Amino acid sequence: EVAGEAALRVELESFYAQTAPKREGRPVVRWLKENSREKIVALALACILWVSFGYQKESVRRDFTVPVEYVNVSTDWIIEDPKVTDVKIVLMGPPQAFQLLNPDALRLSLDLSKVREGLNEIPVSGEMVKRPSNLAVAGISPSRIGITVSRLTAVSLPVVVVTEGRPPAGLSVQKIGVSPATVRALIPARLRENGLRIRTEPIDLKKVDSSSSLQVRLVPPPEARFAGGKTPAATVTIRLKKSARTGGRP
């Protein structure tokens, strides 16, 4: 018989110590000793995979030519030609990122919110390149972009009707008019005194066989801009008359 609870605990601990003794050694050391060959092979494979893919991740570089987009241009400004339309960039990243890359989506975005009138030299940085986040910009050429910006001023430009050819036989032009005769436009202030005009698209008189009014498109000079960004149209009125016949063959 066992006398008391304490004595019972001592007997039970003694019994379990004899039937199921505790295993000696540290857990980590014991784990390393078990199936050591398989663990060494797995570690070697992991190293090979890291060298094959992890090292390449830092070494793959590819060149691209990307367009330049000018953003945040105030409606009071105009970018003078010639202007840079594309740049060359070098991207670096893992091969998998290049396999998924759409080159047409790459572009350099140039913020013009702080430009001044005249020539501006803007430094180019990798943050300006729109690209996937897993690709880094390793180089850009040119490193600076120069643009000339002019302030726009509102003026009234005369409309000039452009024609080509002659009316059909027996007809001649009596009068040509256009409405409106002038069009409001925005041009660089420095060109205000240059006598700019807005021309119509060419009208082929050979196709006009009677007096008529034609809706024609205006072709503004490249420096001109219009309110709302839409080029207005004009109505050209052509009045014909019968021409006197001149002498024929003798």
Side-chain angles (χ1 to χ4, degrees):
E1 295 184 0
V2 178
E5 181 179 347
L8 177 61
R9 183 180 298 110
V10 171
E11 290 293 334
L12 290 174
E13 290 178 353
S14 176
F15 173 78
Y16 284 119
Q18 295 177 5
T19 57
K22 294 182 179 179
R23 301 183 65 178
E24 299 295 333
R26 297 179 182 178
V28 175
V29 175
R30 187 170 63 249
W31 179 83
L32 289 174
K33 290 182 177 180
E34 293 177 352
N35 301 321
S36 58
R37 182 177 179 181
E38 290 79 0
K39 291 183 175 65
I40 292 174
V41 172
L43 181 61
L45 289 174
C47 292
I48 293 173
L49 290 174
W50 184 88
V51 171
S52 300
F53 295 99
Y55 179 76
Q56 287 183 7
K57 180 178 180 180
E58 301 298 330
S59 63
V60 175
R61 300 160 63 99
R62 294 184 183 174
D63 299 342
F64 298 90
T65 298
V66 302
V68 177
E69 61 177 7
Y70 297 90
V71 299
N72 298 326
V73 183
S74 172
T75 55
D76 296 335
W77 299 102
I78 183 173
I79 305 173
E80 303 269 5
D81 291 328
K83 60 185 178 182
V84 176
T85 57
D86 54 59
V87 296
K88 294 181 179 180
I89 66 171
V90 181
L91 293 182
M92 182 174 65
Q96 297 88 343
F98 287 104
Q99 293 174 2
L100 300 174
L101 175 65
N102 176 15
D104 294 335
L106 297 173
R107 62 193 64 252
L108 185 138
S109 183
L110 205 62
D111 185 2
L112 301 185
S113 60
K114 298 181 180 180
V115 296
R116 301 184 304 274
E117 188 168 12
L119 178 62
N120 295 260
E121 290 284 344
I122 303 177
V124 180
S125 64
E127 290 75 16
M128 298 178 181
V129 179
K130 293 184 178 180
R131 67 191 190 282
S133 58
N134 54 355
L135 291 174
V137 179
I140 305 178
S141 179
S143 60
R144 302 175 71 87
I145 293 180
I147 60 170
T148 300
V149 180
S150 297
R151 187 177 296 277
L152 295 174
T153 184
V155 295
S156 292
L157 298 180
V159 177
V160 178
V161 179
V162 178
T163 62
E164 58 185 18
R166 295 182 178 182
L171 298 173
S172 62
V173 176
Q174 182 179 16
K175 183 179 179 181
I176 295 179
V178 60
S179 178
T182 61
V183 173
R184 295 288 289 178
L186 298 171
I187 65 171
R190 62 180 179 80
L191 297 178
R192 184 161 39 187
E193 306 300 329
N194 283 21
L196 290 181
R197 298 169 179 268
I198 296 182
R199 301 178 179 274
T200 68
E201 60 184 356
I203 300 173
D204 188 356
L205 294 178
K206 292 182 295 185
K207 298 180 180 179
V208 181
D209 56 7
S210 63
S211 297
S212 55
S213 295
L214 306 173
Q215 192 83 1
V216 297
R217 186 174 62 89
L218 296 180
V219 183
E223 302 88 353
R225 299 289 184 273
F226 296 98
K230 185 177 180 181
T231 303
T235 301
V236 175
T237 301
I238 301 175
R239 185 177 299 175
L240 301 179
K241 65 178 182 179
K242 292 184 179 180
S243 58
R245 292 187 178 179
T246 56
R249 295 180 179 177

